[in-house]
Amino acid sequence: SGIFSASSTPTGSSHSSSSSSSSDGEDSDPSLEWPEIHEAIFSTIAELGGNVVPKLNWSAPKDATWINATNSMECRTPNDIYLLLKSSDFITHDLEQAFDGCEAPAEEEGEEDEEETPIPYTLTLRKTIHSPTTSLEFRCFVRSRTLLAICQRDMTHYPFLPALLPVLRPLISSFLTTHILDTFPDENFVVDVYVPPPHRRVWLIDMNPWAPRTDPLLYSWVEILTAPTPPAPAPAPAPPTQTTEEEEEYSNTEDPEDPEEEEEEELPWQPEFRLVQRDDPEAYNFATPQYSAHKLPKDVVDAAAGGEWEAGLREFMGRWREI
């Protein structure tokens, strides 16, 4: 994948003459301000097969696919990437409100910086994988470095998934325990993974913040936050000790335990794994389309936020008739 840092943006005036000589109209090419990055993006797209998916530091413009000709995040030119980034509320959040809901470390709570530290933004281009099996993509919720819950990412009912649970659950748990739980900087986070056939390997798709803006899908954040803490793993059994002949004879003369009095062996704790069931509304796409809240025109949003709803909407309708 191609990675471009904001620090590589040219600061010289090598292109200022061409931009100043061009017309001051609204149709000027914005990429004239960063020709080196524009060329690097162009060459990286060609290097990755002519089809890429963009992502900024934390978010991808998944909510802006409606404006793309392919109705997806696939981009074939730098202009496709600029259009997606400019039209995405997720990207705007990363640029203007990246740390909303975050808490400063304890050692920094009493410190007040005169100027905010600039964020080193990075644009990542990943090669497009055509026709991925979305039925085998899963979202994992990790709390206090413990895998708490797993669920589907694709809100569609797949009849074959329940039979794969005995394979998927331990495979995903083992992958997270081995590679992520003890190495990721945060204790609480959300992970997206992909388990393609023949279901022997797990691929990491993305890391998501432990925040309300991350979709809990088949759960609710109240469920995840209030779920009981899993029990600590039982200690390993002590190694057997040697016994004398007298102790062996005594143990053999004891009455065998009554089977009815034997306590049932407790099964080890496992993370909950939710799938879309046949009767769930999500299985028939009765729910609101994904990211529909980010598809309203700005004028409609401004009309709704302009004082009282009726007055704002009435003013908007009046302007619309004038147009």
Side-chain angles (χ1 to χ4, degrees):
S1 63
I3 300 177
F4 307 93
S5 173
S7 60
S8 61
T9 304
T11 58
S13 56
S14 60
H15 212 80
S16 59
S17 59
S18 61
S19 61
S20 61
S21 61
S22 61
S23 61
D24 295 332
E26 296 180 356
D27 296 335
S28 59
D29 188 353
S31 66
L32 298 178
E33 300 295 331
W34 54 85
E36 295 180 6
I37 292 183
H38 182 81
E39 290 298 328
I41 293 175
F42 188 86
S43 60
T44 301
I45 292 176
E47 181 183 345
L48 296 177
N51 215 326
V52 299
V53 174
K55 181 184 178 181
L56 215 56
N57 291 37
W58 301 282
S59 303
K62 296 184 292 185
D63 59 319
T65 55
W66 57 273
I67 204 170
N68 200 0
T70 60
N71 197 29
S72 67
M73 286 199 300
E74 296 181 11
C75 297
R76 297 179 175 85
T77 66
N79 289 339
D80 293 342
I81 296 174
Y82 304 151
L83 181 62
L84 277 180
L85 298 180
K86 183 178 68 173
S87 306
S88 171
D89 287 348
F90 294 171
I91 299 301
T92 301
H93 180 276
D94 284 2
L95 295 176
E96 299 183 357
Q97 301 169 319
F99 298 115
D100 281 6
C102 298
E103 297 181 357
E107 60 271 12
E108 298 181 5
E109 289 182 355
E111 301 178 3
E112 295 183 1
D113 298 333
E114 296 180 0
E115 297 181 359
E116 295 183 357
T117 304
I119 302 173
Y121 286 105
T122 301
L123 173 64
T124 303
L125 304 182
R126 297 183 287 189
K127 184 176 181 179
T128 301
I129 301 176
H130 294 283
S131 301
T133 309
T134 57
S135 60
L136 295 171
E137 295 180 4
F138 304 98
R139 175 155 291 182
C140 310
F141 300 87
V142 177
R143 191 184 70 187
S144 300
R145 301 197 182 278
T146 301
L147 177 58
L148 198 66
I150 311 171
C151 71
Q152 288 179 239
R153 289 187 71 195
D154 185 0
M155 296 292 95
T156 305
H157 171 66
Y158 295 100
F160 65 88
L161 280 181
L164 291 176
L165 282 182
V167 176
L168 295 174
R169 194 192 325 250
L171 187 63
I172 295 174
S173 299
S174 175
F175 170 78
L176 294 180
T177 302
T178 304
H179 300 287
I180 298 178
L181 293 185
D182 294 330
T183 59
F184 193 70
D186 296 334
E187 293 185 349
N188 307 315
F189 52 92
V190 182
V191 189
D192 293 334
V193 297
Y194 176 49
V195 189
H199 316 299
R200 296 176 182 173
R201 296 185 62 184
V202 178
W203 295 83
L204 175 64
I205 298 178
D206 209 350
M207 308 293 294
N208 305 283
W210 183 268
R213 63 177 178 270
T214 298
D215 192 346
L217 300 176
L218 293 178
Y219 298 93
S220 69
W221 276 111
V222 174
E223 286 182 286
I224 296 171
L225 294 174
T226 59
T229 303
T241 57
Q242 295 182 352
T243 57
T244 61
E245 295 181 359
E246 294 181 358
E247 291 175 343
E248 290 181 358
E249 292 179 1
Y250 178 78
S251 61
N252 292 332
T253 57
E254 290 182 342
D255 295 335
E257 296 182 359
D258 188 351
E260 296 181 358
E261 296 181 359
E262 293 183 0
E263 296 183 358
E264 295 183 359
E265 183 179 355
E266 294 185 1
L267 297 176
W269 182 87
Q270 293 180 330
E272 184 175 0
F273 204 134
R274 288 188 184 177
L275 302 175
V276 177
Q277 303 301 322
R278 185 182 301 275
D279 298 331
D280 290 347
E282 294 86 353
Y284 302 96
N285 295 321
F286 291 157
T288 304
Q290 195 175 26
Y291 310 124
S292 60
H294 304 275
K295 298 179 182 179
L296 286 175
K298 185 176 184 299
D299 294 339
V300 176
V301 178
D302 292 342
E308 297 182 0
W309 163 256
E310 295 182 0
L313 187 58
R314 192 178 299 113
E315 181 182 357
F316 170 75
M317 292 302 297
R319 292 181 179 179
W320 185 266
R321 292 191 185 96
E322 294 177 359
I323 298 175

